[in-house]
């Protein structure tokens, strides 16, 4: 069971929902909650205390996320971190992604020939629409359709990797945005442009990005 909430709400703390979740467990029960400090007088806190009392394991994840900075208790740390980098968006999630990508390219000597474009309109990347159907062509040609980040080769000017920063609520399955995401994914796949989506509820983004870039660069040198 995961609460998803940064701060426990009346919905995630609903005793009836918690009872259903716990009672449906067959052999094991896992509760994933935010690392934020939570009120002591709530059902989630009582459940965690009950798990500890009955010799259950309560542990803090050893894997961190760049998006942990979005949590309220990390406000000062987020401001300090982002001050070191260029602000490219009104959304801190995208600013954090850009800062991470900048750090990766600077730290890896084999990536010094790469650069980043932010918010690149898709129509500037796709010149020949012959691979697309009518709906996909219309979507790709829309001036509002863009790639959050495109890493490209400074020398050849060729695209290397597209990166999308996905806020959980806005991009979750079933939303109109998720349907647009599927179109974008298919278009990029058709044109052979690798894509990584970084969810704001994910983790280990630096390793994910470094591994993907190293994989792509290795293939290009073969």
């Amino acid at each position: 069971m995961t609460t998803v909430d940064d701060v426990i709400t009346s919905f995630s703390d609903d005793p009836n929902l918690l009872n259903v979740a716990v009672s449906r467990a067959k052999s094991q029960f896992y509760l994933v909650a935010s690392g934020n400090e939570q009120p002591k007088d709530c059902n989630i806190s009582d459940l965690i205390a009950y798990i500890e009392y009955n010799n259950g394991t309560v542990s803090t994840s050893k894997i961190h996320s760049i998006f942990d900075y979005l949590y309220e208790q990390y406000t000062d740390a987020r401001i300090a971190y982002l001050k070191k980098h260029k602000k490219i968006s009104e959304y801190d999630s995208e600013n954090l992604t850009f800062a991470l990508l900048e750090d990766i390219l600077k730290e890896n000597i084999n990536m010094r020939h790469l650069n980043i474009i932010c918010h690149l309109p898709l129509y500037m990347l796709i010149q020949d629409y012959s691979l697309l159907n009518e709906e996909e062509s219309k979507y790709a040609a829309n001036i509002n359709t863009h790639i959050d980040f495109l890493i490209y080769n400074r020398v050849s000017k060729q695209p290397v990797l597209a990166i999308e920063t996905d806020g959980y609520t806005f991009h979750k399955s079933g939303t109109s945005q998720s349907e647009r995401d599927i179109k974008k994914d298919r278009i990029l796949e058709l044109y052979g442009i690798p894509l990584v989506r970084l969810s704001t509820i994910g983790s280990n983004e630096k390793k994910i990005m470094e591994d993907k870039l190293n994989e792509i660069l290795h293939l290009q040198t073969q």
Side-chain angles (χ1 to χ4, degrees), residues 94-112:
E94 291 188 344
N95 290 321
L96 288 168
T97 302
F98 179 71
L100 172 68
L101 296 176
E102 274 197 322
D103 288 345
I104 289 173
L105 298 190
K106 288 177 182 177
E107 292 170 6
N108 291 271
I109 192 169
N110 64 320
M111 300 179 189
R112 299 285 173 84

Side-chain angles (χ1 to χ4, degrees), residues 6-219:
D6 296 341
V7 177
I8 298 301
T9 63
S10 58
F11 176 77
S12 57
D13 201 48
D14 184 283
N16 295 319
L17 293 178
L18 287 173
N19 180 60
V20 171
V22 173
S23 62
R24 285 186 177 179
K26 298 297 184 181
S27 58
Q28 292 182 320
F29 176 78
Y30 292 89
L31 171 65
V32 181
S34 166
N36 292 350
E37 185 176 350
Q38 305 296 348
K40 300 299 182 184
D41 58 342
C42 67
N43 295 311
I44 290 288
S45 294
D46 288 344
L47 177 57
I48 294 173
Y50 179 81
I51 292 171
E52 287 184 297
Y53 179 78
N54 286 276
N55 298 318
T57 301
V58 177
S59 60
T60 301
S61 174
K62 294 180 175 61
I63 300 175
H64 297 286
S65 167
I66 187 68
F67 300 116
D68 287 345
Y69 280 124
L70 295 174
Y71 294 150
E72 185 177 350
Q73 74 263 37
Y74 296 125
T75 298
D76 292 341
R78 178 175 72 251
I79 292 173
Y81 180 70
L82 290 177
K83 274 185 177 179
K84 302 175 185 177
H85 297 272
K86 180 181 177 182
K87 182 176 181 179
I88 52 85
S89 172
E90 62 180 301
Y91 302 108
D92 275 349
S93 57
E94 291 188 344
N95 290 321
L96 288 168
T97 302
F98 179 71
L100 172 68
L101 296 176
E102 274 197 322
D103 288 345
I104 289 173
L105 298 190
K106 288 177 182 177
E107 292 170 6
N108 291 271
I109 192 169
N110 64 320
M111 300 179 189
R112 299 285 173 84
H113 64 296
L114 303 178
N115 204 356
I116 312 163
I117 297 178
C118 307
H119 302 151
L120 177 70
L122 195 56
Y123 72 83
M124 294 184 66
L125 185 63
I126 306 298
Q127 300 296 325
D128 180 1
Y129 286 27
S130 62
L131 298 180
L132 307 180
N133 60 36
E134 184 178 352
E135 183 179 355
E136 291 165 343
S137 296
K138 184 178 180 180
Y139 174 73
N142 190 308
I143 60 173
N144 294 317
T145 302
H146 70 269
I147 297 171
D148 289 345
F149 305 96
L150 181 72
I151 294 179
Y152 69 96
N153 187 309
R154 293 175 186 266
V155 179
S156 67
K157 309 302 181 186
Q158 292 300 304
V160 173
L161 178 65
I163 302 99
E164 293 280 293
T165 302
D166 293 348
Y168 171 74
T169 302
F170 191 54
H171 289 264
K172 67 181 179 180
S173 178
T175 63
S176 57
Q177 182 58 49
S178 72
E179 295 176 2
R180 290 191 289 269
D181 290 343
I182 292 172
K183 289 180 188 175
K184 188 184 296 182
D185 293 357
R186 172 174 158 75
I187 291 171
L188 292 175
E189 182 180 4
L190 285 171
Y191 287 88
I193 301 172
L195 169 67
V196 170
R197 288 191 173 275
L198 298 177
S199 171
T200 54
I201 60 169
S203 61
N204 221 15
E205 293 83 14
K206 185 174 184 180
K207 184 177 188 307
I208 290 171
M209 293 306 309
E210 287 182 331
D211 287 352
K212 187 63 178 179
L213 283 168
N214 280 320
E215 174 192 331
I216 294 170
L217 295 176
H218 176 69
L219 289 174

